[in-house]
Amino acid sequence: MQSTVKPAIPAKALAGRDQNLLRLLVMLVFVFGLMTVLRPNEFATLADFNSMMRQFPEYGIMAIGISLTMITGGIDLGVVGTANLSAIFAAKFLIGAVPQGAPPEQVLPYLAAAVAIALATGLLCGAFAGLLISRFRIPAILATLGTQQLYTGIAIGITNGRPQSRLPLLYSTIGNTEFFGFFPLSFVIYCAIAVGIGLMLSRSRFGTCMYMLGTNAKAARFAGLNNASIIIRTYMVSGILSSVAGLIMMARANSAKADYGAPYTLQCVLIAVLGGIDPNGGFGKITGVTLAILILQFLSSGLNMFNNISNFYRDVIWGGVLILVLVFNRLFSIRAERRAVRRSMA
Amino acid sequence: MAASILKVVGIAKSFGGVQALKGVSLEIDAGEIHCLAGENGSGKSTLIKVISGVHEPDAGSIEIVGRRLSRLSPMEAIALGIQVIYQDFSVFPNLSVMENLALNMELMDKRALMNWGRARAIAAHAVSLIGFEVDLDERVENLSVADRQLVAICRALLHDSKLIIMDEPTSALTKKEVKALFAVIKSLQSRGISILFVSHKLDEVFEISERFTILRNGENVAAGSTEELDHRTFAFHMTGREFAEASYKSDRAPGPPVLSVKGLSQVGSYEGISFDLAQGEILGITGLLGSGRTELVETLFGISSPDSGSIEIAGREVRMRSVKDAIALGIGYVPSDRLTEGLFLPQSIERNAVIGVLGRLCNSLGLLNRRAVAELMSKWIAELSIAAKDPSLPVKTLSGGNQQKVVLARWLASELSVLILNGPTMGVDIGAKYDIHALMRELASKGLAIIIVSDDLPEVLACASRILVMRDGAFIQELEPATTTESRLGELSTGVA
Amino acid sequence: MISIRSMTRRSEPYVFAAIVALSLLIQARSGQFFTGNNLVDLARALIVPALFSIGCMLVIVSGGIDVSFTAIASLAMYVTDKTLLASGYSGSVLLAYAMSGALGLLMGALNGGLIGFLKLPTLVVTLGTGSLFTGVMYGVFAASASDVPPAIAAHGKQTLFTAVNLESGLTSNMPSQVLILVGALVLVFLLIRYTMLGRGIYAIGGDEAAAERAGFSVAWIKLFLYSFVGLLAGITGVARISMISYADPSTMLGMELTVIAAVVLGGTRVTGGLGTLTGTIFGVTLMTILANSLILIGIPTYWSRVFTGAVIIVGTGVSARQIGSARRRVRTLQKEA
Amino acid sequence: MKRSFVSVLAVALVFVLAVPLFGQSYDPMKFKSSKPQAAWKIALVPKDATNAWFVRMESGVKRYAKDTGINVFQKGPPKTDAAMQAQVIEDLIAQGVDAICVVPVDPSALEPVLGKALSKGIVVIDHEGASQQNCLYDIEAFSNEGLGQALMQVLAKSMGEKGTYTTMVGNVTNASHNEWADAGVAYQKAKYPNMTLLAAEPRVEIMDNLDTAYQRAKELFKKYPDLKGIFGTSSLSTPGTARAIEELGLKGKAFVTSVGLPNENKPYLKSGTVQAVMLWDSAEAGYAMLATAVAVLKGEKIANGINLKGKGWESMTFAPESTKVLLGKSWISITKDNVDSFGF
């Protein structure tokens, strides 16, 4: 009977997206192995791990934010602007409000308030971008290009471009805490966010809605999803994540400034894409993004150990690897399709 | 009769696991108008694609103008004089009518440069062939669907064709346009061109064709001269059943209306629409494309808002600002275009099915309860007999009928009072079609109020307990299925007696 | 006959109105907008972004997006510059254009091959190649700002005419590179209007499957398209360094997003199929005027980005709304097909 | 109850987990290396890896390596960005270098990471970062004030000590550019009463781009007909502005000066559009930074008059009331007469 339909393509070939995770893992191990072999005394050392753990969380968290927006079929180019604006508001508050020479226990509530200010700023920044995209129908790439200019512009405008330093000592002390003398606070925050967002994507109603919206916005509407609300909330989450990154940068630099980390934007898009986030929306996992972040960090720190090799080889390897992975995936899926067709004919 | 221009024998073709054609044969003589009939999913479209070189058959032979071909590419097919007007028109929405008409010709001639004067001449000639009046400079996406189809028809007429295949060319045309088209077809015939006319409308088959071939479930079931055909045998061959479906009659005592629409109007779409819908009733709405039927039901689902008039649910006037509001009021909707509006094609069957009820499948932490999802899914697979091996596969791996069942499943878990189905069995194979019909009746007999929007007249006749015919944005007649016929419905919706 | 209905559906009139409004604002604030030398200055500032936007528009029309063209332009111009410097070349500047163009073409062909024949997603491919080309320039070639060879420096001094502001006596020279822009516009106009190749680009953007069915060689058209964009980028690179006689490898990087924004602002449909040269030039003109008149308007430097950001948001928002409402009715009709 | 818990927590955090960051003063003598000289590894971190200025600096680094045989190298971030520069330093610390010489993008942003380096016993030497706390020494070609004043002197002389001028920085977020400009403006207010700073646009930014400098200069001269001078800080200000001045026909009526490289400014110096630009040779600066680091590693005492071996860096003196900031006399005024003698 007709209704005993076999799937057109066997399950294995369709698991290609998880194959992508596997390939990323292989790549990670390869880069790690290569660096370990070439720089045995420097790369695979505790000091280097500690150094890397201090470096990637700030852009890693922004990459997760961008990834979320890309899953819904958009993009958020405003992450760095949001991060710096949030940090500047927090810093302005701390500099203005905390009395000089106050003991730590008096400073602590101010710190909590500053963090809250930063997170609220991130939330509002994200909500505004989400509003532009969902209600005013501005293509995400244009809307967030605009908000990026706007947020950076406000940050420069209220600071005249000067760094906001002289923060209370306690802020960077806490911000640079290392648990067990080894795991930096920022790393712990990254892990918590990665797990939390990962769980949100795979297990929560909101996460599923994001994937569905990113796959087919029209069908999502017909299925009763509130597309505008999902988009706004997604950009709000991205904004909050950016502000967390801003707070981490503020702790690491002991100051806030309008243009910290400006080159991170494109780097984060690259991370998301290599991590398997489909730029057309609907697919991608935080595991993949995390693997991509680690690959980039290994490459970057590894290359810093070669005195005569420019940092820019990172971009070369990075771009080259991205293209190779794409080509490989493509050829693989063509082959799998052919095999599936052949099998179904037999 | 003249020698055959096309002769296919024993064509078999399967996709994945689905056997679309199981050894079909078809012969068309030169200068003949041949009708290929069959229900949706009978294999008509696949056969056309085999003939035009798009699909390579798994088995069987193709003979064109006496040449036996083992392989056929689309370009070869065109070179041999075979032209297809597909149902999806294959037009470029962003280009002008003129270009849509002229581009293929220019490409066939392997021209590298675009000569706009020549293009205009070609286009003017093409539209003159069927007396089609259109602004040649208008972008095709700004045309009505009917006009877009005419563009596609004109384009095919341009080629020096020996056989033109028309895949349900009249489904969106007015009677006047159909008449014009038939005149063109006749004139082509007089020039010795054969036409393969694909249709499931009996009237047209009678009017235009000399011979017919009927397919069902990928097999030949009947062929012969049209003169020998009557309504009863035609329907039997098409469906394989002798009026298997009795028309539906609600066995409930008519209660107060669940849904009541009063003087609903939306400028440019529909006007002055009023009707009541009671529990257990299946209301059929039929009308041509562009008659306003889709706009009407989309308004009832909160997708667009009416300009005037009122909607009452269970006696209370309601205002729906969004789909969410409509769902909260207990209205469900199965959209007409399953692929772009109904489904998330690359996502899993499971996700597609549960998207509407996610909220209920979450635990206290707001996380999805995977076991509850799996249990619900397997319940549906069993209840709706969805042929899905693994619910984690993308929904696009399912056949049309099973896909439609997945869309339906979405609504079954909700507390519905009204379910609206727009073209519920379009592109669905026959087995699944009856499954869906049976399901609708079962739901209605349990008290659900159902609206089906369809231009599949036998379907409307068989399923609805009451039929409203829509034309030019207004209801023009209410009919009882028991006392009406397909041809009467057709006349009413096209407006031509 | 051009009906009012079809006029309101296009975005060119809105962008043009915005240009006029902005011009009047600048004129009112500075009295300097409608002066010969200011217009020449703006024309000069327009050359590079406009050249980029032409290629960018073609790519978006075909349904893709390219973020690698600035990297292509930079690498092509840098390698050309260094090679000519090292060889002590002193002949015609045409060689520089030819060489940079050829290098750009090769890089574009890489994009085109991956996108056309392997059917890879355009954004991802060009992000990857963009990173690759930038990395090669800075890593392999250890690029840093450099002089330009005499041929290019001499070319940079060629001016077509000099505009004088009679009131202030200020003069501005119209650089000869503007001819390249005019040439590119004419060439691309002929390409998209009078060749099947050009119509193919539009056809692909409208419906790729239908284009394939109609007999367009989609893969080859894409290969051509991205190669052409690469060629244009390579030429733009040389035009850029010649106008300022200084080969700074970073001078064009980062322009890609503003160029894309300008193209979309000019009415090119983000999803492909629609886009005109007129609209594109309008869009890029608006962005160029905006970027180069903040001082004339009197926006303090510290707040200039806020102003730019706001204009992008408001500009694209208005245009998106206008076109959206005009298209809505048509869409319901389409839906039923 | 709750409050005391919070304060206990805070104090505990500070004392138990804290990495010493600030206020710590380090005794340079304690940084004497016990390793043999051949095992030393010294890194120089510029603001970015591609700017011509720092490419020139790298040539000094290479010369130093050749002259002394010590393992020294330059490693910069791909782009002028404080956060990225901090990451490079993190990696260098992890690799266990013995000394880090740095030209900070933003001194305050580097305090934590340089503090970490010092706490691990790594020698930290700054250049163009007089405000840096966490370093052993900061060597300056001359003080920021000195440069600002010197530039203002050049500009004032060109302008005849009267007329309107404005300042032009690479980026408004660039710390040293702002300091020079501030110093220049302060000096003008004190010394040249007939000059006025353009109130409507006191600071213009050129995004570190020559073409932008050219465009901004044109806009300025069009909008403000009285404008006579541009006080630039970025090395790209002068060539861009000078080109605009020549083209607008303002030669002899409008003037510009900034820090600058000889080759980039040669045409404008020769044509007389620009009287002079200021320079200290970044190659020599790099050489001097490395020499300072090596002196500390060797345990040599840094005192007034120390010779850092670079041209103009032969006799360094501590800035007033400072034991960290060493000032040289290495600035050079480049004019049409000496522009050909540099070879870069």
Side-chain angles (χ1 to χ4, degrees):
Chain A
M1 186 51 206
Q2 193 105 1
S3 52
T4 56
V5 176
K6 274 188 276 170
I9 299 168
K12 245 187 201 152
L14 287 158
R17 295 184 191 279
D18 288 319
Q19 298 274 329
N20 188 47
L21 281 187
L22 188 68
R23 269 188 286 275
L24 283 172
L25 200 62
V26 169
M27 213 151 78
L28 182 75
V29 171
F30 174 75
V31 172
F32 183 82
L34 187 75
M35 292 302 172
T36 310
V37 169
L38 292 177
R39 279 288 181 274
N41 300 326
E42 292 160 355
F43 188 75
T45 60
L46 288 180
D48 189 43
F49 284 137
N50 176 272
S51 154
M52 290 194 282
M53 281 190 290
R54 294 173 70 87
Q55 289 180 50
F56 75 78
E58 56 193 43
Y59 65 82
I61 291 171
M62 286 193 268
I64 290 180
I66 287 190
S67 301
L68 292 180
T69 58
M70 285 172 78
I71 284 173
T72 62
I75 195 165
D76 189 354
L77 300 173
V79 283
V80 176
T82 307
N84 286 324
L85 188 61
S86 310
I88 281 174
F89 279 141
K92 283 232 166 222
F93 168 76
L94 284 178
I95 294 164
V98 178
Q100 279 291 318
E105 68 271 15
Q106 275 182 29
V107 176
L108 214 50
Y110 287 106
L111 294 189
V115 169
I117 288 171
L119 297 182
T121 310
L123 184 108
L124 286 177
C125 287
F128 181 60
L131 200 69
L132 292 176
I133 295 160
S134 64
R135 295 268 181 228
F136 294 90
R137 308 281 158 109
I138 303 178
I141 191 168
L142 287 180
T144 56
L145 189 71
T147 56
Q148 180 242 325
Q149 291 277 330
L150 195 64
Y151 301 155
T152 310
I154 295 173
I156 288 180
I158 61 177
T159 61
N160 282 359
R162 311 294 169 95
Q164 305 299 301
S165 43
R166 299 196 315 279
L167 301 176
L169 177 61
L170 188 64
Y171 181 78
S172 58
T173 311
I174 294 179
N176 290 291
T177 303
E178 294 190 338
F179 293 98
F180 308 108
F182 186 65
F183 297 104
L185 178 64
S186 55
F187 173 76
V188 175
I189 293 176
Y190 176 85
C191 292
I193 286 178
V195 170
I197 298 287
L199 213 57
M200 181 194 89
L201 278 177
S202 63
R203 298 286 303 277
S204 81
R205 171 163 200 262
F206 179 49
T208 312
C209 289
M210 284 167 63
Y211 282 115
M212 300 306 251
L213 173 66
T215 309
N216 184 343
K218 208 178 195 182
R221 189 158 162 240
F222 279 85
L225 306 191
N226 187 342
N227 290 3
S229 145
I230 295 170
I231 289 175
I232 292 176
R233 278 187 288 159
T234 304
Y235 284 84
M236 272 156 82
V237 174
S238 170
I240 292 177
L241 293 182
S242 306
S243 63
V244 172
L247 287 170
I248 292 176
M249 285 201 279
M250 181 163 111
R252 238 161 62 87
N254 193 38
S255 59
K257 199 167 161 218
D259 69 344
Y260 281 158
Y264 284 155
T265 313
L266 272 182
Q267 181 173 313
C268 288
V269 177
L270 264 173
I271 287 172
V273 167
L274 181 63
I277 305 287
D278 185 340
N280 297 320
F283 291 95
K285 289 183 178 150
I286 296 302
T287 331
V289 177
T290 301
L291 287 176
I293 292 168
L294 293 179
I295 293 171
L296 178 76
Q297 189 59 54
F298 285 173
L299 271 176
S300 174
S301 287
L303 286 174
N304 274 340
M305 288 164 190
F306 295 86
N307 303 341
N308 297 318
I309 294 184
S310 155
N311 260 326
F312 288 101
Y313 280 95
R314 188 188 77 174
D315 292 2
V316 178
I317 297 172
W318 190 235
V321 161
L322 184 67
I323 301 287
L324 284 181
V325 167
L326 277 177
V327 171
F328 190 75
N329 278 358
R330 179 70 199 154
L331 294 179
F332 181 86
S333 73
I334 291 175
R335 236 184 44 195
E337 256 167 50
R338 279 207 195 116
R339 218 184 299 135
V341 169
R342 226 178 292 134
R343 208 176 302 153
S344 73
M345 282 179 182
Chain B
M1 256 286 177
S4 78
I5 191 141
L6 174 81
K7 188 175 173 186
V8 295
V9 180
I11 299 290
K13 176 74 190 171
S14 61
F15 301 100
V18 189
Q19 184 128 32
L21 295 175
K22 304 167 186 167
V24 171
S25 301
L26 172 70
E27 187 172 353
I28 301 170
D29 292 336
E32 179 194 16
I33 300 176
H34 193 107
C35 177
L36 178 64
E39 298 229 290
N40 290 325
S42 60
K44 290 174 301 183
S45 297
T46 313
L47 181 60
I48 296 167
K49 286 188 173 155
V50 167
I51 296 171
S52 61
V54 176
H55 290 326
E56 196 185 333
D58 303 339
S61 71
I62 307 174
E63 213 178 290
I64 299 174
V65 212
R67 275 180 58 195
R68 206 185 154 90
L69 302 149
S70 56
R71 282 185 71 102
L72 184 67
S73 77
M75 284 316 238
E76 280 166 359
I78 293 171
L80 286 166
I82 295 181
Q83 272 290 321
V84 187
I85 302 166
Y86 288 101
Q87 255 175 312
D88 68 353
F89 318 147
S90 268
V91 289
F92 300 109
N94 58 323
L95 301 183
S96 68
V97 173
M98 176 171 38
E99 275 193 275
N100 266 285
L101 290 170
L103 270 182
N104 289 36
M105 285 296 278
E106 300 289 87
L107 280 167
M108 290 294 288
D109 293 349
K110 302 222 175 303
R111 290 190 198 273
L113 297 180
M114 184 83 195
N115 179 333
W116 291 90
R118 192 171 57 224
R120 189 169 291 277
I122 292 172
H125 170 65
V127 293
S128 72
L129 286 175
I130 57 165
F132 174 32
E133 287 187 13
V134 66
D135 178 3
L136 292 179
D137 296 310
E138 183 64 274
R139 280 211 300 271
V140 165
E141 65 188 357
N142 296 334
L143 297 182
S144 70
V145 182
D147 282 356
R148 278 198 264 170
Q149 188 166 22
L150 285 179
V151 169
I153 292 170
C154 292
R155 186 180 58 193
L157 294 179
L158 279 171
H159 293 265
D160 182 19
S161 309
K162 296 195 175 61
L163 170 67
I164 295 179
I165 303 172
M166 297 185 183
D167 192 358
E168 309 209 1
T170 59
S171 54
L173 303 189
T174 65
K175 266 278 190 293
K176 185 179 154 227
E177 287 163 336
V178 171
K179 285 226 148 62
L181 176 66
F182 282 2
V184 173
I185 290 176
K186 293 278 187 200
S187 81
L188 291 172
Q189 183 187 25
S190 67
R191 280 188 257 162
I193 298 171
S194 312
I195 310 287
L196 179 61
F197 190 87
V198 181
S199 176
H200 58 242
K201 293 180 188 160
L202 183 59
D203 300 350
E204 289 171 9
V205 175
F206 278 130
E207 189 178 341
I208 192 76
S209 70
E210 289 137 12
R211 292 202 303 155
F212 69 92
T213 299
I214 298 179
L215 299 184
R216 193 170 71 230
N217 289 346
E219 289 174 274
N220 290 84
V221 289
S225 165
T226 315
E227 288 160 8
E228 300 158 12
L229 203 60
D230 63 25
H231 275 87
R232 178 174 286 267
T233 47
F234 183 75
F236 171 74
H237 290 315
M238 296 270 284
T239 60
R241 304 189 191 191
E242 197 129 7
F243 296 106
E245 289 183 301
S247 61
Y248 172 78
K249 195 107 185 106
S250 173
D251 48 6
R252 283 172 182 264
V258 188
L259 171 72
S260 180
V261 173
K262 292 193 179 112
L264 207 63
S265 299
Q266 190 182 57
V267 176
S269 305
Y270 53 84
E271 219 184 325
I273 299 286
S274 301
F275 67 90
D276 289 335
L277 183 65
Q279 274 202 336
E281 202 181 3
I282 302 181
L283 174 69
I285 296 179
T286 186
L288 293 177
L289 283 171
S291 62
R293 51 179 206 197
T294 296
E295 287 86 345
L296 171 64
V297 288
E298 287 191 352
T299 302
L300 296 179
F301 190 53
I303 287 171
S304 63
S305 40
D307 296 320
S308 63
S310 68
I311 303 169
E312 286 173 16
I313 303 273
R316 255 197 21 230
E317 183 168 346
V318 292
R319 213 161 263 289
M320 289 176 281
R321 282 193 188 79
S322 68
V323 172
K324 217 177 166 184
D325 293 349
I327 291 173
L329 290 164
I331 300 175
Y333 180 61
V334 176
S336 59
D337 187 342
R338 188 168 54 238
L339 302 183
T340 67
E341 295 173 344
L343 291 169
F344 304 88
L345 286 174
Q347 297 287 358
S348 69
I349 298 168
E350 191 173 84
R351 274 188 170 173
N352 269 282
V354 302
I355 182 71
V357 291
L358 280 176
R360 244 187 290 151
L361 299 168
C362 290
N363 61 21
S364 51
L365 287 171
L367 293 181
L368 282 182
N369 182 341
R370 283 190 181 156
R371 186 188 292 172
V373 171
E375 276 169 9
L376 187 61
M377 195 63 226
S378 49
K379 189 181 129 210
W380 282 337
I381 288 180
E383 271 181 18
L384 301 176
S385 55
I386 299 173
K389 273 193 178 155
D390 178 357
S392 69
L393 286 177
V395 77
K396 68 180 168 194
T397 58
L398 293 180
S399 71
N402 285 301
Q403 286 179 355
Q404 190 72 330
K405 287 179 186 172
V406 171
V407 181
L408 267 168
R410 216 180 269 166
W411 296 113
L412 297 187
S414 319
E415 294 295 320
L416 283 187
S417 52
V418 179
L419 177 62
I420 304 167
L421 299 101
N422 194 348
T425 57
M426 245 163 69
V428 162
D429 53 54
I430 294 169
K433 185 168 174 175
Y434 286 123
D435 286 349
I436 291 170
H437 287 173
L439 181 71
M440 287 194 304
R441 290 169 177 183
E442 191 194 325
L443 290 170
S445 67
K446 284 185 190 158
L448 187 65
I450 295 179
I451 299 175
I452 57 170
V453 176
S454 176
D455 57 2
D456 183 344
L457 301 178
E459 174 174 274
V460 179
L461 283 170
C463 296
S465 48
R466 194 155 57 101
I467 301 170
L468 287 167
V469 181
M470 203 168 174
R471 193 172 75 214
D472 296 333
F475 283 156
I476 51 160
Q477 185 118 28
E478 182 176 330
L479 298 163
E480 289 290 321
T483 59
T484 192
T485 61
E486 230 180 278
S487 57
R488 174 79 187 126
L489 277 179
E491 281 162 17
L492 283 170
S493 41
T494 53
V496 179
Chain C
M1 186 192 77
I2 298 169
S3 66
I4 293 178
R5 192 174 62 94
S6 73
M7 280 291 286
T8 53
R9 229 170 26 219
R10 312 176 68 118
S11 68
E12 282 102 327
Y14 298 106
V15 186
F16 185 73
I19 294 175
V20 172
L22 187 63
S23 311
L24 293 176
L25 172 72
I26 300 165
Q27 179 69 21
R29 302 275 300 170
S30 68
Q32 290 289 320
F33 188 84
F34 296 106
T35 58
N37 77 316
N38 185 56
L39 295 175
V40 166
D41 286 345
L42 287 176
R44 179 196 177 280
L46 189 66
I47 294 171
V48 168
L51 277 170
F52 280 139
S53 72
I54 295 171
C56 184
M57 183 272 279
L58 290 178
V59 169
I60 297 180
V61 162
S62 81
I65 196 147
D66 184 352
V67 292
S68 69
F69 57 87
T70 53
I72 292 177
S74 304
L75 178 55
M77 97 35 202
Y78 191 76
V79 171
T80 304
D81 181 76
K82 280 290 176 187
T83 313
L84 295 186
L85 271 180
S87 66
Y89 176 77
S90 60
S92 159
V93 73
L94 288 178
L95 179 71
Y97 278 115
M99 184 174 166
S100 185
L103 288 168
L105 189 137
L106 284 179
M107 288 184 266
L110 175 63
N111 280 338
L114 292 168
I115 291 165
F117 289 92
L118 288 179
K119 302 191 185 347
L120 298 176
T122 55
L123 175 66
V124 186
V125 166
T126 53
L127 267 174
T129 54
S131 170
L132 188 68
F133 299 148
T134 318
V136 167
M137 176 170 73
Y138 282 133
V140 180
F141 292 101
S144 69
S146 132
D147 285 345
V148 291
I152 292 180
H155 173 55
K157 292 207 176 74
Q158 292 165 351
T159 55
L160 293 182
F161 61 86
T162 301
V164 187
N165 180 344
L166 295 176
E167 209 173 303
S168 63
L170 296 179
T171 54
S172 290
N173 301 332
M174 179 64 95
S176 60
Q177 287 81 356
V178 77
L179 294 178
I180 296 174
L181 175 59
V182 173
L185 282 172
V186 170
L187 184 71
V188 172
F189 174 75
L190 294 176
L191 172 80
I192 60 179
R193 180 98 185 127
Y194 293 110
T195 71
M196 292 307 274
L197 200 58
R199 297 322 294 163
I201 292 170
Y202 279 77
I204 292 173
D207 186 335
E208 195 166 321
E212 195 91 59
R213 224 179 264 167
F216 284 110
S217 333
V218 172
W220 286 99
I221 292 177
K222 287 189 176 172
L223 177 66
F224 165 81
L225 171 61
Y226 287 90
S227 308
F228 181 74
V229 170
L231 170 78
L232 214 51
I235 290 172
T236 312
V238 173
R240 169 74 167 205
I241 60 169
S242 67
M243 276 194 284
I244 203 76
S245 291
Y246 186 64
D248 180 350
S250 70
T251 176
M252 289 172 288
L253 298 176
M255 275 175 80
E256 57 273 4
L257 291 177
T258 7
V259 169
I260 292 170
V263 169
V264 176
L265 190 62
T268 304
R269 193 184 283 179
V270 193
T271 47
L274 286 188
T276 62
L277 281 176
T278 325
T280 303
I281 293 302
F282 280 173
V284 83
T285 303
L286 182 61
M287 294 288 259
T288 306
I289 294 179
L290 186 62
N292 290 299
S293 302
L294 294 172
I295 291 177
L296 291 184
I297 301 173
I299 309 259
T301 303
Y302 296 119
W303 293 98
S304 62
R305 281 188 189 79
V306 175
F307 187 76
T308 319
V311 170
I312 294 177
I313 290 169
V314 174
T316 51
V318 167
S319 150
R321 267 198 107 65
Q322 293 295 344
I323 297 169
S325 62
R327 226 183 266 149
R328 202 162 302 141
R329 225 193 76 76
V330 177
R331 218 179 287 138
T332 33
L333 277 172
Q334 270 173 22
K335 207 186 291 175
E336 296 198 7
Chain D
M1 177 66 205
K2 203 168 184 181
R3 186 167 202 156
S4 62
F5 173 73
V6 169
S7 46
V8 168
L9 186 75
V11 173
L13 272 173
V14 172
F15 286 100
V16 181
L17 299 164
V19 185
L21 287 173
F22 299 98
Q24 204 87 359
S25 74
Y26 292 93
D27 178 5
M29 298 309 284
K30 295 215 172 103
F31 284 81
K32 180 172 194 285
S33 176
S34 52
K35 285 196 268 182
Q37 191 167 317
W40 291 353
K41 215 157 83 174
I42 304 175
L44 192 151
V45 183
K47 287 187 194 180
D48 79 40
T50 58
N51 189 309
W53 183 255
F54 295 108
V55 172
R56 170 81 189 159
M57 186 174 279
E58 191 166 16
S59 73
V61 174
K62 287 188 173 139
R63 184 153 52 84
Y64 191 87
K66 223 170 106 196
D67 291 354
T68 62
I70 297 173
N71 180 9
V72 297
F73 58 93
Q74 181 164 327
K75 193 91 213 173
K79 293 179 183 102
T80 309
D81 180 75
M84 289 192 139
Q85 194 178 35
Q87 305 214 336
V88 171
I89 296 173
E90 286 276 4
D91 279 337
L92 291 171
I93 295 171
Q95 285 173 43
V97 295
D98 298 274
I100 294 173
C101 302
V102 59
V103 189
V105 174
D106 176 358
S108 61
L110 291 186
E111 296 294 5
V113 69
L114 292 181
K116 183 178 165 191
L118 287 172
S119 72
K120 299 206 171 203
I122 297 170
V123 174
V124 175
I125 307 294
D126 261 48
H127 172 53
E128 276 190 70
S131 61
Q132 193 84 59
Q133 298 292 312
N134 281 320
C135 67
L136 296 181
Y137 294 104
D138 172 79
I139 64 167
E140 297 291 324
F142 40 77
S143 65
N144 279 332
E145 272 135 44
L147 177 61
Q149 290 170 6
L151 284 171
M152 183 49 76
Q153 283 164 5
V154 174
L155 186 67
K157 194 174 156 222
S158 319
M159 292 170 65
E161 299 189 9
K162 60 176 192 290
T164 311
Y165 74 99
T166 189
T167 62
M168 183 185 265
V169 293
N171 270 305
V172 289
T173 51
N174 186 316
S176 48
H177 285 190
N178 279 322
E179 283 176 33
W180 300 337
D182 291 346
V185 171
Y187 189 70
Q188 170 267 317
K189 291 206 166 115
K191 287 282 166 82
Y192 305 110
N194 293 331
M195 286 172 70
T196 44
L197 178 64
L198 182 65
E201 294 281 353
R203 194 146 300 176
V204 178
E205 72 173 339
I206 61 165
M207 315 279 185
D208 275 326
N209 189 316
L210 186 57
D211 202 60
T212 314
Y214 167 88
Q215 298 283 6
R216 293 297 160 271
K218 278 197 150 176
E219 270 190 81
L220 282 170
F221 289 123
K222 276 185 285 193
K223 168 100 181 181
Y224 305 103
D226 295 338
L227 189 67
K228 274 182 71 184
I230 288 181
F231 178 103
T233 53
S234 159
S235 65
L236 300 173
S237 313
T238 299
T241 306
R243 198 178 172 97
I245 288 174
E246 290 191 352
E247 212 190 291
L248 289 167
L250 288 174
K251 192 173 150 187
K253 294 179 204 147
F255 308 92
V256 62
T257 189
S258 70
V259 170
L261 292 171
N263 266 354
E264 286 169 9
N265 290 294
K266 196 185 289 181
Y268 309 111
L269 288 166
K270 295 267 183 193
S271 70
T273 308
V274 178
Q275 269 72 55
V277 291
M278 289 296 168
L279 169 79
W280 70 102
D281 186 349
S282 54
E284 301 296 337
Y287 201 92
M289 285 166 87
L290 295 169
T292 318
V294 166
V296 175
L297 286 172
K298 282 182 177 162
E300 288 169 10
K301 186 164 169 54
I302 309 280
N304 270 333
I306 185 169
N307 180 0
L308 294 179
K309 298 171 185 105
K311 239 180 258 156
W313 303 77
E314 290 94 344
S315 176
M316 306 293 289
T317 50
F318 279 108
E321 294 171 36
S322 172
T323 53
K324 261 187 186 165
V325 180
L326 283 160
L327 303 177
K329 295 189 188 72
S330 62
W331 61 271
I332 316 157
S333 173
I334 304 176
T335 62
K336 65 176 190 295
D337 303 319
N338 65 359
V339 67
D340 289 319
S341 63
F342 293 91
F344 68 94

